Amino acid sequence: MQPAEINLPIDPTFDFRSEVPAGRDPDSWSPTLRSYHRLLWSKPLPDGRTFDLTEEGKPGGYFLRHDSALGTFRLTSDTITHRYLRTAVAKQIPAAALPTDIGYTIASALVFPGTRVDGKQTINQARGTHPRIRDRFDLTLECIRRHYQEEDNPLRAVLTRYSSFFELFVDFDGYVDFFLLHDVIGDDGKIAYWHHFDNFTTPPVPNDVDAYLAYRRHTSDFIRARNKRIADATPGIPS
């Protein structure tokens, strides 16, 4: 399937699922998603050095590569918002009552190092399977914040394995600024959690209808806000 024609260098409304075969993961199959990541994240790092990325891989295995004095990094895309439609609580809600599916747009995607270290899990794999994270990006971001502060967190081992990647951004503020993640940060400078949080002791997936619907509202608000932030930040990118 061919990418749909777009009028903007970064079209925040484009749903990457529309250009991949049914049932395939856009993170590894969408050429537009890979191109968007390259356009967005090929830019100066906080210390002024440029983080140039090249598009590599074949359909089903798309990735981005950086190779310079900074190091060699193989980055893969992953979704950072999840609807948890297969959970028991979601199945309690009539389809007509569920929030609108905004689609898999660029605001819902981020890149992480995709090469295994010593045969162990990548960040994407670890955050998806850890019982205290369950793919929640707000919780992942709290782990990253604690990593920069050298504080304990559920993803400490895997984040430490990829410390050379996080060192590129100097500190947590640099990481947030680089990847335009401000819309997960509250006015107080702390993580604006999408569901009740108590130091990783609360269930990561909402287990009652009201909490689930509130979680969905929060993630939808995040997607809309980050889409706008990305569009505002990239008006001059050449297509």
Side-chain angles (χ1 to χ4, degrees), residues 8 10-14 16 36 40 102-109 180 183 219-234:
L8 297 173
I10 299 291
D11 179 357
T13 69
F14 184 71
F16 304 112
Y36 280 12
L40 284 168
I102 297 176
Y104 188 17
T105 60
I106 188 59
S108 290
L180 303 175
D183 300 296
T219 55
S220 293
D221 288 346
F222 163 74
I223 293 169
R224 294 187 184 96
R226 188 170 184 245
N227 272 335
K228 183 179 186 303
R229 186 178 297 276
I230 288 172
D232 290 347
T234 58

Side-chain angles (χ1 to χ4, degrees), residues 2-63:
Q2 295 298 316
E5 183 178 353
I6 57 177
N7 296 320
L8 297 173
I10 299 291
D11 179 357
T13 69
F14 184 71
D15 189 333
F16 304 112
R17 297 174 301 186
S18 67
E19 67 173 358
V20 304
R24 301 293 189 181
D25 182 1
D27 289 307
S28 56
W29 282 85
S30 168
T32 302
L33 176 54
R34 180 182 57 169
S35 293
Y36 280 12
H37 280 313
R38 177 182 60 81
L39 289 167
L40 284 168
W41 317 130
S42 293
K43 63 179 183 177
L45 293 161
D47 66 2
R49 291 182 291 179
T50 300
F51 193 61
D52 287 323
L53 294 167
T54 58
E55 299 177 28
E56 299 193 17
K58 298 178 180 179
Y62 284 145
F63 66 96

